[in-house]
Amino acid sequence: VTEELTLYHFPRTHTTRVRWWLEQAGIGYRSVPIDIRRREQDAPAFRALSPLGRIPVLVDRGQILNDSLAICLHLGFRFPAAALSPAVGSPQFADYLQWLAFGAAEANQAVGRCFAAHRSRHLGVSKTNEAHARDSFLQVHAIFEAQLQKTPFLAGPTLTAADLFNASVLAFADSFGLLPGAGIVRTWLDGLTALPSYARALAPDAAPDKGP
Ligand SMILES: N[C@@H](CCC(=O)N[C@@H](CS)C(=O)NCC(=O)O)C(=O)O
């Protein structure tokens, strides 16, 4: 385990994108589950790390990072040998930044709006709101389809953290039936979620240091 890294996380949240990064790269970390259903994020000690009480948080040699996009970018610079981040300044690096930002903002927001509508269905959310949310997701989905028709991975010929990040968002969309069942996005997502690192990232308390 890399004792320098501590990850505060919980399965099936924004944490997955970060844990997937570490698991795919084979980098050990101290793992601290924060059960947000039990509101463990409200503990003063945790609020000191994340004032809004949000996960994930990564503490790296005392440096606190409390946003999943910032953490993924940081890890790319910190562990270049993991090769999940293209060479800085290359055209692929620009694509990688573009797709990471797209995942953190546009895709995340579209899926989040659909999830909110889905979850409050029984409360009588207006059909118009739900349809609007679905439309914005379908636009985002079409952008992924178009890109993956051009390149095998979002930022070009090789897997990058932009794939893991966006696949986490889309796997969440899939978990409540939002993702279309066919298409190139589905094939790309199925390939990524079949990676052993994905199962490890979702395990209730991944402890890569424990060994067999
Ligand atoms: N910008 C943050 C947002 C993180 C976020 O929304 N985390 C949610 C779980 S997916 C959370 O911690 N919710 C608990 C709360 O807000 O009390 C990131 O992506 O890291």
Side-chain angles (χ1 to χ4, degrees):
V1 74
T2 308
E3 289 299 342
E4 299 159 332
L5 297 178
T6 302
L7 181 67
Y8 298 78
H9 65 87
F10 199 64
R12 300 195 184 273
T13 64
H14 287 209
T15 300
T16 304
R17 350 168 147 173
V18 172
R19 282 180 78 200
W20 199 356
W21 201 115
L22 292 165
E23 294 292 345
Q24 176 65 21
I27 290 164
Y29 54 94
R30 195 164 74 86
S31 165
V32 183
I34 298 289
D35 189 339
I36 56 173
R37 294 168 313 188
R38 295 169 181 243
R39 299 219 59 89
E40 289 177 0
Q41 69 273 37
D42 293 338
F46 185 72
R47 289 275 170 161
L49 302 175
S50 177
L52 290 174
R54 302 251 164 86
I55 47 172
V57 171
L58 181 78
V59 180
D60 180 4
R61 297 164 300 180
Q63 176 76 46
I64 301 162
L65 293 114
N66 54 28
D67 179 82
S68 58
L69 176 60
I71 294 170
C72 288
L73 287 167
H74 171 71
L75 290 173
F77 290 113
R78 173 94 155 84
F79 299 105
L84 286 171
S85 168
V88 177
S90 65
Q92 206 196 347
F93 188 74
D95 286 339
Y96 153 86
L97 291 179
Q98 168 67 35
W99 284 105
L100 272 179
F102 188 78
E106 304 296 347
N108 191 73
Q109 191 185 31
V111 172
R113 280 181 63 199
C114 290
F115 182 64
H118 168 81
R119 201 175 38 181
S120 44
R121 237 177 207 169
H122 61 285
L123 300 176
V125 170
S126 92
K127 288 277 166 234
T128 327
N129 277 356
E130 198 175 343
H132 271 288
R134 199 177 160 73
D135 271 0
S136 63
F137 174 73
L138 289 177
Q139 281 182 47
V140 160
H141 182 264
I143 291 169
F144 282 119
E145 276 297 307
Q147 180 65 9
L148 291 169
Q149 257 150 26
K150 287 192 281 184
T151 56
F153 295 99
L154 288 173
T158 53
L159 176 79
T160 72
D163 296 290
L164 304 184
F165 197 106
N166 283 282
S168 302
V169 176
L170 292 179
F172 178 64
D174 197 31
S175 73
F176 63 99
L178 184 62
L179 194 76
I184 200 153
V185 174
R186 162 70 56 187
T187 308
W188 163 87
L189 183 63
D190 286 351
L192 290 173
T193 55
L195 292 170
S197 56
Y198 183 65
R200 292 199 299 271
L202 287 183
D205 188 3
D209 54 318
K210 281 189 184 150

